[in-house]
Amino acid sequence: MSVHATSRHVTVSTLRRMKAEGEKIACLTAYDASFAAVLDEAGVDVMLVGDSLGMVVQGRETTVPVTVDDIVYHSRAVASRCRRALLMADMPFMSYTSTEQAMASAARLMQEGGAQMVKLEGDARQVEVVSKLAEHGVPVCAHIGLQPQLVHKLGGYRVQGRDPEQAEAMIRDAVALQQAGADVLLLECVPARLADEITAALEIPVIGIGASAGCDGQILVLQDILGITPGRAPGFVRNFMEGQASIQDAVRAYVAAVRTGDFPAPSNLFE
Ligand code: KIV
């Protein structure tokens, strides 16, 4: 199987086609030009300038302090070497508290940062924001399940949707966000069966992180797959540097493992 899904530029239509044809979507975070070039060459389909940069680049405790300026700065760097992949950028904490503010933040990420899709955390309470962005031609990825921007409210990073009522609500939220115009759904840290149910219920591609091998694609933080994140890696991470001679080979191995369904393994998932 080819590592490159297609050599043409990846768009929202490419991702939809990949879902329809059962071809897995390989996504990774990227924060600078050098790594963007490596990821692009390896055939990564979507590069995310995630607010995880607060933790892995800036050394903060959480993603909460990250600003729109930070994301714009890193997106611009990634955009300079991102030729094939679709470039997604995170809307930081408190940058989409109203439709007006969300439009202004998304405009900056796309016009100054070169992003081709924005990602925002939130359940059905974000329907109005998603709908407004979609109406104005902004491709949107809605991030549900564990929402790291809510860490101080949740009191930690925990699997979401284990409780049957919470699971039902998550399915309803996913459908509502798709109806509002979301182009992609990202599911973080949810039980695999729930992730499968949501993936089957939606027409838009569903990307998982600690979700299910049945999702339409997978995403991880770059530093995690390279095994350089300090401390103990979360269970949903695999170190792809092991057994590889170079960073390039490790990223290629990640893409291949996502495409073939070798990653995630049951040990990377939750019940
Ligand atoms: O900020 C980020 O990198 C993310 C991924 C972990 C999905 O949201």
Side-chain angles (χ1 to χ4, degrees):
M1 185 180 303
S2 157
V3 159
H4 295 265
T6 160
S7 57
R8 289 210 305 269
H9 197 84
V10 177
T11 63
V12 170
S13 320
T14 317
L15 301 181
R16 279 204 176 230
R17 178 192 59 73
M18 290 174 80
K19 172 165 182 139
E21 295 178 2
E23 191 172 357
K24 299 288 184 189
I25 303 165
C27 318
L28 266 182
T29 63
Y31 315 101
D32 67 36
S34 306
F35 276 109
V38 171
L39 270 52
D40 219 38
E41 193 278 328
V44 167
D45 302 305
V46 177
M47 287 187 215
L48 168 66
V49 180
D51 58 4
S52 50
L53 70 85
M55 297 161 89
V56 298
V57 178
Q58 300 173 336
R60 312 278 196 141
E61 288 292 319
T62 72
T63 60
V64 171
V66 175
T67 65
V68 173
D69 281 346
D70 292 334
I71 301 283
V72 166
Y73 175 89
H74 289 277
S75 290
R76 200 183 281 143
V78 171
S80 71
R81 302 292 290 278
C82 173
R83 309 264 184 265
R84 176 187 164 273
L86 184 145
L87 175 48
M88 187 197 290
D90 254 340
M91 301 268 268
F93 181 63
M94 285 291 161
S95 70
Y96 48 103
T97 60
S98 64
T99 54
E100 292 72 22
Q101 192 198 18
M103 300 264 281
S105 303
R108 290 203 58 205
L109 300 191
M110 294 182 79
Q111 294 182 315
E112 297 174 43
Q116 295 150 338
M117 179 177 284
V118 301
K119 175 164 83 60
L120 50 84
E121 295 182 13
D123 34 43
R125 72 195 144 85
Q126 293 300 349
V127 157
E128 207 188 330
V129 163
V130 170
S131 157
K132 198 56 148 187
L133 291 170
E135 200 182 297
H136 286 83
V138 177
V140 179
C141 171
H143 179 158
I144 65 172
L146 174 62
Q147 297 163 43
Q149 290 174 10
L150 299 185
V151 61
H152 296 305
K153 191 116 178 138
L154 298 171
Y157 300 106
R158 298 200 183 89
V159 177
Q160 302 292 307
R162 279 190 166 135
D163 162 67
E165 273 178 30
Q166 207 192 16
E168 280 307 314
M170 211 183 288
I171 297 168
R172 280 198 305 275
D173 289 349
V175 172
L177 288 160
Q178 170 177 271
Q179 279 168 353
D183 299 282
V184 172
L185 189 88
L186 190 145
L187 272 182
E188 178 163 355
C189 291
V190 299
R193 279 174 60 180
L194 175 59
D196 286 341
E197 209 175 321
I198 293 174
T199 306
L202 297 193
E203 284 162 25
I204 60 173
V206 176
I207 309 298
I209 173 164
S212 167
C215 289
D216 303 306
Q218 304 295 327
I219 188 161
L220 284 176
V221 168
L222 176 62
Q223 279 76 354
D224 286 346
I225 73 154
L226 299 180
I228 56 170
T229 307
R232 200 164 62 93
F236 55 76
V237 167
R238 184 186 297 174
N239 179 349
F240 282 90
M241 266 315 278
E242 275 169 18
Q244 300 296 336
S246 68
I247 288 173
Q248 282 84 348
D249 286 347
V251 177
R252 275 188 218 112
Y254 167 75
V255 172
V258 171
R259 293 258 196 271
T260 58
D262 175 57
F263 178 81
S267 60
N268 302 123
L269 304 174
F270 303 106
E271 285 183 1

